[in-house]
Amino acid sequence: MIPFSVLDLAPITEGSDASQAFAHTLDLARHAERLGFHRYWLAEHHNMPGIASAATAVLIAHVAGGTSTIRVGAGGIMLPNHAPLQVAEQFGTLAALHPGRIDLGLGRAPGTDHATAHALRRYFEAADMFAQDVVELLHYFEPVQPGQAVRAVPGAGLDVPVWLLGSSLFSARLAAQLGLPFAFASHFAPDAMDHALTMYRREFKPSKRLQAPYAILALNVVAADSDAHARRLFTTLQQAFVNLRRGRPGLIPAPIDDIEAYWTPLEKSGVEQALACSVVGQASTVREGIAAFIERHRPDEIMLTANVFDHAARVRSFEIAAQVCKAL
């Protein structure tokens, strides 16, 4: 059995609000802890009406404070939006509050649209400095040296595992060069997954942070008590992707009976390509799908995500997935 974890976007569903989304996130995290999930990550997105995790470090504090053993972290912080020192201070604070439980995943994208990236002010000046910013951030977690003018307080000398996230070859190569663990966004951008994984493992250089390559692959898993029910639940994510491609991101929609009537053939092709790394069905179907995914790609860990409209159905989906993963 390899470790299995959760990626959560704190979805805001139609008819709900951010407060309810945060309550559901904490409830799901507590279930994930009880079910044996290894870590619980939250992702930074901006100007997305259906995603409540924009203030990612704040939400991580909420989840970590409401759980006791599961690792909690960012999957990820979009580093070009932030000064490395501020990120080090935030996650140093989290690590001081919750020793041994905080992860920091770093991404290079803005996590939003072009106009919002401009509103974030820093992204367009910093995106090309991503590698340097990662090195600077890592430095702030090192013990303070004599004469060091700038330090992260808290942060310096604390054990905060840093990951690089990506959906292309860039972060795979950088993670290998820096000797960092790597997580690939195969749940929505799987095209370069195999190439990135091969490159990361081939070019990996051991570091004091990590002696051997360690890669997480993300996988959409929607499980229910029947294949038909799971497929219907999955239409929520399919609709959300169609809406995003139409330039109309909104609240997370309720499932529908006929997804074929919702999208055009071109939209269907694009969404199915983006969501190719998805396993949808009852327990036996999910078992076969996850086992095949692991057998083919050989990740060191899988990170499951499930954008399901109804909270009880979402919790049930993760329950079935946990049972399956423990039995593999």
Side-chain angles (χ1 to χ4, degrees):
M1 183 182 74
I2 67 172
F4 53 98
S5 298
V6 175
L7 174 64
D8 182 17
L9 302 183
I12 307 176
T13 57
E14 293 175 346
S16 185
D17 57 23
S19 294
Q20 190 64 62
F22 296 146
H24 286 164
T25 281
L26 182 55
D27 183 65
L28 180 60
R30 287 169 170 165
H31 277 89
E33 184 171 73
R34 176 179 57 81
L35 292 166
F37 284 89
H38 183 50
R39 62 183 97 237
Y40 195 100
W41 279 6
L42 294 141
E44 177 185 346
H45 290 276
H46 300 279
N47 197 33
M48 300 286 285
I51 298 176
S53 53
T56 317
V58 177
L59 191 52
I60 289 170
H62 174 63
V63 172
T67 54
S68 57
T69 58
I70 194 170
R71 299 193 66 88
V72 186
I77 294 295
M78 301 297 105
L79 186 56
N81 296 339
H82 311 276
L85 176 61
Q86 291 175 310
V87 176
E89 291 169 339
Q90 290 169 2
F91 280 79
T93 300
L94 289 167
L97 288 167
H98 309 284
R101 293 182 57 210
I102 300 299
D103 296 327
L104 171 55
L106 302 172
R108 187 168 62 110
T112 188
D113 58 86
H114 192 82
T116 308
H118 271 292
L120 289 166
R121 299 184 185 278
R122 189 175 184 274
Y123 177 77
F124 287 103
E125 287 107 19
D128 291 338
M129 299 291 291
F130 180 70
Q132 295 93 317
D133 282 352
V134 171
V135 172
E136 180 183 343
L137 177 54
L138 292 173
H139 170 71
Y140 288 129
F141 289 130
E142 298 294 326
V144 174
Q145 299 300 308
Q148 183 174 330
V150 179
R151 63 186 70 183
V153 183
L158 294 182
D159 178 21
V160 181
V162 175
W163 298 69
L164 290 192
L165 317 180
S167 59
S168 68
L169 304 184
F170 179 92
S171 290
R173 175 170 279 127
L174 182 60
Q177 291 172 348
L178 297 178
L180 296 175
F182 177 59
F184 191 85
S186 36
H187 61 302
F188 73 89
D191 290 353
M193 172 177 56
D194 291 327
H195 192 180
L197 203 55
T198 298
M199 173 185 289
Y200 169 66
R201 288 170 169 161
R202 182 182 64 239
E203 299 184 7
F204 182 84
K205 298 177 181 178
S207 69
K208 59 185 176 181
R209 284 182 168 267
L210 190 66
Q211 291 300 301
Y214 191 96
I216 289 178
L217 295 181
L219 182 65
N220 296 294
V221 175
V222 176
D225 294 328
S226 72
D227 285 349
H229 188 199
R231 286 193 297 267
R232 187 176 188 278
L233 294 177
F234 189 56
T235 63
T236 285
L237 182 59
Q238 292 170 320
Q239 290 176 84
F241 266 66
V242 170
N243 295 342
L244 186 61
R245 288 161 186 260
R246 291 176 179 174
R248 299 198 298 267
L251 301 180
I252 302 303
I256 55 178
D257 293 327
D258 185 8
I259 188 64
E260 299 300 331
Y262 191 80
W263 54 21
T264 67
L266 183 60
E267 289 170 338
K268 176 181 180 179
S269 176
V271 170
E272 288 185 342
Q273 181 178 356
L275 301 180
C277 291
S278 299
V279 177
V280 180
Q282 61 188 350
S284 59
T285 305
V286 169
R287 183 181 302 110
E288 292 174 4
I290 294 179
F293 182 82
I294 293 172
E295 176 65 25
R296 177 180 176 185
H297 303 293
R298 298 292 181 179
D300 298 293
E301 183 174 334
I302 55 172
M303 182 159 282
L304 311 183
T305 185
N307 215 351
V308 173
F309 179 81
D310 179 74
H311 180 63
R314 191 168 184 238
V315 170
R316 176 60 179 152
S317 178
F318 278 105
E319 287 177 345
I320 294 171
Q323 293 166 5
V324 166
C325 289
K326 289 175 182 178
L328 291 177

